[in-house]
Amino acid sequence: MVAVLLRVHFFPGLCLLLLGLGLQFHVLGWLSRRYSQRGWVLTGAWASTILLLLGYLLDFQLAQRFLPVGWWTWLECAALVETMWLIGLSGALLFWRRAPQFDPARRRMLQAAGAAVCALPLVGTGFGIVRRNDFRVSEVSLPVPHLPKDLDGLRIVQITDIHLSEFMSEREFAVAIDMANEARANLALVTGDLITRRGDPLDACLRQLARLRADAGILGCLGNHEVYADAEDYVTTEGRRIGIDFLRHQSKVFRFGNAAINFAGVDYQKMHSRYLVGADRLIVPGALNIMLSHNPDVYPVAAALGYDVTIAGHTHGGQVDFEILHQHMNVARYFTPYVRGLYRHEKSSVYVSSGLGTIGVPVRIGVPPEISVLRLCAT
């Protein structure tokens, strides 16, 4: 049953479509009762319905073939923004309906509150668009039990979830590469999702990644959007040409002094599948073993297999995150408990970067895009 729901893009695609249509029906009923001239109301309703349907259908690769990538990227974005605005408008109606006719002061207050609720999604979207490429470097201490002395202080820079597309230009990404190079790391990691979809500027992304610098080398793994764009083999081949080893169920050992550090990389591990099949054979006894996986929910399996650290991305930190009573509210929590930052359990740990890019809507709220610099340290 789960597999069937995933094939129809049940979450979030179908859920958002049904939510948008339901809210639209609610708003349409209010407008029809309020205004006698209903022609423009019906016209707007049809336009809104078509946009919502297109936003859902463009989740499917078959539908994406009929429009240029830029068109349907923005159509999908417009449908999501419309759904958010319908949420705000429906909330506003609750205030406006409660506005008493016999108390002008209270009526004005409720009308103003309703207008604020109605505008909030659009204002928030505008703010998130402005802040979406406000890159920052996150310095993180990564504690490892019994870390060899020669690995203590080793610096690893991680870039993930670039999503070079209509929402991020090559020039903007170049700024992030410059910031990563300023970290002067010993190793660099690229953990998937270079682009969003087929037709995005993959070569431009690789051109900028070729500028990435690290003393010992650059490694990577592939994400789900490489799968969607059918670009796994191309990224692997071109990555090797520019000096990046994308590890696909492979491992690579580096030596620093008398200590060894082994990186094992896997392709995107599909949800609800059996994770890390055969990854136990990539472990090197006596070395610090680090798993590179685009999605972080493999962490418990990696820890059980004997990996000391898992490094991941995928979640965007939720992309839009609100903290309410010390609880973080974001869509990524539906998929995984490992949303953003460092998590530890017994002797193992996982670090999840919130990444650089955006999908769906070019918005980041409460989750700044980051270049992560991980410093290994003994516990």
Side-chain angles (χ1 to χ4, degrees):
M1 184 63 179
V2 171
V4 173
L5 293 178
L6 289 174
R7 281 199 295 272
V8 297
H9 294 219
F10 178 74
F11 187 91
L14 186 57
C15 290
L16 288 173
L17 173 63
L18 296 176
L19 175 63
L21 292 175
L23 292 174
Q24 181 181 271
F25 181 78
H26 171 63
V27 171
L28 180 62
W30 179 78
L31 290 172
S32 298
R33 290 189 297 271
R34 187 175 180 87
Y35 298 101
S36 56
Q37 299 295 328
R38 298 179 182 177
W40 65 271
V41 175
L42 293 174
T43 300
W46 275 111
S48 174
T49 301
I50 291 170
L51 181 57
L52 290 172
L53 287 170
L54 281 174
Y56 173 65
L57 292 175
L58 289 172
D59 266 350
F60 296 86
Q61 292 186 20
L62 181 62
Q64 295 167 8
R65 297 175 184 174
F66 295 98
L67 288 174
V69 63
W71 285 36
W72 59 263
T73 296
W74 287 108
L75 278 171
E76 190 175 24
C77 173
L80 289 169
V81 172
E82 181 191 1
T83 301
M84 290 186 287
W85 179 72
L86 285 170
I87 293 172
L89 182 55
S90 297
L93 292 180
L94 296 177
F95 287 94
W96 292 336
R97 285 173 172 172
R98 285 174 169 75
Q101 300 298 318
F102 54 84
D103 189 341
R106 188 161 179 262
R107 182 171 69 250
R108 286 193 298 270
M109 181 187 70
L110 289 173
Q111 288 173 339
V117 170
C118 183
L120 184 61
L122 298 181
V123 172
T125 299
F127 175 79
I129 289 173
V130 171
R131 303 287 290 180
R132 77 187 190 281
N133 290 331
D134 183 19
F135 306 127
R136 60 187 62 186
V137 176
S138 299
E139 296 266 357
V140 180
S141 294
L142 187 58
V144 179
H146 311 298
L147 183 72
K149 183 178 179 181
D150 289 333
L151 296 180
D152 196 13
L154 189 80
R155 291 167 62 82
I156 301 171
V157 65
Q158 179 195 10
I159 287 179
T160 191
D161 297 276
I162 301 159
H163 291 285
L164 200 69
S165 62
E166 294 289 320
F167 298 159
M168 181 190 293
S169 68
E170 183 180 359
R171 179 180 57 82
E172 290 167 328
F173 180 41
V175 172
I177 292 291
D178 292 339
M179 294 172 68
N181 287 338
E182 289 171 4
R184 300 186 182 279
N186 302 101
L187 285 160
L189 305 176
V190 181
T191 50
D193 280 4
L194 279 62
I195 57 174
T196 299
R197 50 183 65 85
R198 191 194 304 263
D200 282 342
L202 179 56
D203 287 322
C205 186
L206 290 165
R207 182 164 56 242
Q208 290 304 318
L209 286 174
R211 298 177 49 239
L212 193 58
R213 296 289 177 264
D215 295 338
I218 308 169
L219 300 176
C221 64
L222 301 179
N224 53 309
H225 284 269
E226 276 74 63
V227 179
Y228 303 155
D230 194 23
E232 294 169 289
D233 292 339
Y234 184 82
V235 170
T236 304
T237 302
E238 289 299 300
R240 191 179 301 115
R241 184 181 64 80
I242 63 176
I244 303 177
D245 284 332
F246 285 95
L247 301 176
R248 304 185 63 185
H249 298 274
Q250 299 167 306
S251 62
K252 187 168 183 177
V253 177
F254 294 86
R255 298 202 69 87
F256 295 91
N258 294 319
I261 180 170
N262 173 53
F263 288 91
V266 295
D267 286 354
Y268 172 67
Q269 303 289 286
K270 189 175 181 181
M271 285 184 65
H272 309 295
S273 66
R274 187 181 169 197
Y275 290 150
L276 304 182
V277 176
D280 54 323
R281 295 191 291 270
L282 302 177
I283 289 178
V284 175
L288 174 67
N289 288 281
I290 296 181
M291 167 59 66
L292 303 183
S293 170
H294 181 66
N295 47 318
D297 39 305
V298 306
Y299 165 56
V301 178
L305 291 176
Y307 286 92
D308 303 288
V309 177
T310 299
I311 297 176
H314 186 51
T315 65
H316 300 201
Q319 194 165 306
V320 175
D321 180 80
F322 299 101
E323 186 176 356
I324 301 174
L325 299 176
H326 305 292
Q327 294 293 318
H328 288 272
M329 309 298 293
N330 59 70
V331 70
R333 292 185 62 181
Y334 173 87
F335 297 100
T336 176
Y338 312 109
V339 174
R340 177 188 179 196
L342 182 65
Y343 301 83
R344 300 185 66 193
H345 179 69
E346 296 180 351
K347 296 181 179 180
S348 65
S349 58
V350 59
Y351 179 76
V352 187
S353 172
S354 62
L356 294 175
T358 57
I359 57 172
V361 181
V363 164
R364 276 186 179 263
I365 299 175
V367 191
E370 67 177 359
I371 300 103
S372 302
V373 180
L374 311 177
R375 185 180 64 84
L376 301 185
C377 60
T379 57

